[in-house]
């Protein structure tokens, strides 16, 4: 098969979709990775995709029509990468809830990966979960997610309709649901401590429960964090399952009916 100018346009759109995904995806799109490295990863993955993606005819009129195709492929890659990356933020959200219950919410640190303020517990759990993902080769699954998009909808065939909004709303609900499931052991224990402190404040009004309660919550919270560390693989499974569900739903939302 001869190589024509239409092939150059098609492969350029493939490069834009994959590179946009790499820029926003977890592991690959973190701020500590230089932009040149991220673009290089996108170009390498695009070269791999060129060997398997079937060339289809592009329908557009003029430069404006081709610009619309470029923006569409860019949006597809960015949305997929952003939604996958949002699944990892569930851990940070759960960590903030943990520190709020333990009285450590003020002890936040700056995360160079995401350029945001994160809590101590959230940062610890995030790195542990990321380590589990790397050990289980999840980064290969993330790469496979963007390559599989060309099987569901090829270049220029993605659609943006109401299903995409429903998918985003459902993900937000699952975001809070999974986050609360992770923090549930800490929340239940702190609830019991608050009830006990309330009873003691009525029984022994001379004791300053505010000062005593802070120290007890911090001590018990640290002990609970050490106890529930073995549950990190389970938490990782929650995040992975959520990521898989959102990717499949985005596939269906982008696929033309």
């Amino acid at each position: 098969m001869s190589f024509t100018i239409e092939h150059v346009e098609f492969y350029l759109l493939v490069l834009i979709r994959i590179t946009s995904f790499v820029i926003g995806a977890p592991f690959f799109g973190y701020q500590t990775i230089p932009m040149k490295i991220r673009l290089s990863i996108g170009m390498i993955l695009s070269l791999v995709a060129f060997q398997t993606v079937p060339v289809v005819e592009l329908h557009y009129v003029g430069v404006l029509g081709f610009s619309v195709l470029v923006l569409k492929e860019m949006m597809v890659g960015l949305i997929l990468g952003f939604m996958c990356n949002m699944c990892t933020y569930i851990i940070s959200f759960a960590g903030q809830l943990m520190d709020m219950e333990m009285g450590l919410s003020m002890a936040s640190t700056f995360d160079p990966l995401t350029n945001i303020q994160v809590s101590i517990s959230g940062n610890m759990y995030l790195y542990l979960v990321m380590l589990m993902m790397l050990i289980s080769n999840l980064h290969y699954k993330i790469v496979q997610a963007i390559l599989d998009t060309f099987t569901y909808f090829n270049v220029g065939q993605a659609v943006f309709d109401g299903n995409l909004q429903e998918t985003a709303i459902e993900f937000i609900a699952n975001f809070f649901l999974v986050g609360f499931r992770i923090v549930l052991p800490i929340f239940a224990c702190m609830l019991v401590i608050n009830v006990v402190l309330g009873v003691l404040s009525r029984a022994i009004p001379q004791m300053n429960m505010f000062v005593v309660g802070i120290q007890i919550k911090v001590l018990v919270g640290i002990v609970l964090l050490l106890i529930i560390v073995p549950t990190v693989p389970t938490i990782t499974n929650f995040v992975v399952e959520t990521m898989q569900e959102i990717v499949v739903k985005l596939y269906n939302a982008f696929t033309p009916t």
Side-chain angles (χ1 to χ4, degrees):
M1 183 179 64
S2 60
F3 191 84
T4 63
I5 188 64
E6 287 80 8
H7 295 162
V8 176
E9 295 175 348
F10 178 83
Y11 290 141
L12 178 61
L13 294 175
V14 173
L15 174 64
I16 291 173
R17 180 189 292 189
I18 295 179
T19 305
S20 301
F21 175 81
V22 171
I23 291 176
F27 301 113
F28 306 102
Y30 288 135
Q31 298 297 323
T32 52
I33 301 178
M35 182 60 70
K36 293 181 180 179
I37 301 297
R38 283 183 276 177
L39 294 177
S40 300
I41 295 174
M43 293 181 64
I44 294 173
L45 293 178
S46 300
L47 291 175
V48 175
F50 290 165
Q51 310 300 322
T52 58
V53 178
V55 179
V56 296
E57 183 180 358
L58 301 177
H59 301 281
Y60 66 91
V61 178
V63 177
L64 183 60
F66 186 74
S67 300
V68 172
L69 288 179
V70 170
L71 291 176
K72 180 184 292 187
E73 296 302 318
M74 184 182 300
M75 289 299 298
V76 169
L78 289 176
I79 290 174
L80 283 170
F82 175 75
M83 296 301 285
C84 290
N85 202 9
M86 282 296 295
C87 294
T88 61
Y89 284 109
I90 297 175
I91 309 301
S92 299
F93 171 71
Q96 291 179 358
L97 294 178
M98 290 181 184
D99 289 339
M100 187 180 301
E101 292 295 325
M102 294 186 299
L104 297 176
S105 58
M106 295 296 293
S108 60
T109 58
F110 180 77
D111 185 11
L113 293 180
T114 56
N115 286 340
I116 60 175
Q117 292 291 123
V118 295
S119 60
I120 296 177
S121 301
N123 207 19
M124 181 189 70
Y125 269 91
L126 179 61
Y127 282 107
L128 287 176
V129 170
M130 288 176 56
L131 180 61
M132 293 297 298
M133 290 180 176
L134 289 174
I135 293 175
S136 59
N137 292 328
L138 182 65
H139 52 293
Y140 294 133
K141 298 294 183 180
I142 295 176
V143 173
Q144 188 66 37
I146 185 61
L147 297 180
D148 288 344
T149 58
F150 297 99
T151 303
Y152 286 85
F153 50 94
N154 211 324
V155 173
Q157 297 178 355
V159 296
F160 298 87
D161 55 9
N163 293 331
L164 187 61
Q165 299 176 2
E166 295 177 359
T167 302
I169 295 173
E170 186 176 356
F171 169 76
I172 294 174
N174 291 331
F175 181 92
F176 290 100
L177 179 61
V178 176
F180 281 116
R181 289 176 65 182
I182 295 173
V183 78
L184 187 59
I186 300 290
F187 181 80
C189 185
M190 292 303 164
L191 179 61
V192 173
I193 293 177
N194 288 331
V195 172
V196 173
L197 291 176
V199 173
L200 290 178
S201 64
R202 301 289 300 196
I204 312 174
Q206 296 83 4
M207 183 180 295
N208 191 343
M209 291 301 169
F210 180 78
V211 177
V212 176
I214 292 178
Q215 299 176 4
I216 293 177
K217 286 183 178 181
V218 172
L219 180 61
V220 174
I222 294 175
V223 173
L224 284 175
L225 287 178
L226 295 176
I227 293 175
I228 64 177
V229 163
T231 63
V232 171
T234 304
I235 296 174
T236 306
N237 288 334
F238 285 158
V239 176
V240 172
E241 291 174 0
T242 304
M243 192 178 299
Q244 291 175 343
E245 291 176 2
I246 191 63
V247 168
V248 172
K249 291 177 181 178
L250 287 175
Y251 284 170
N252 296 329
F254 285 127
T255 303
T257 56

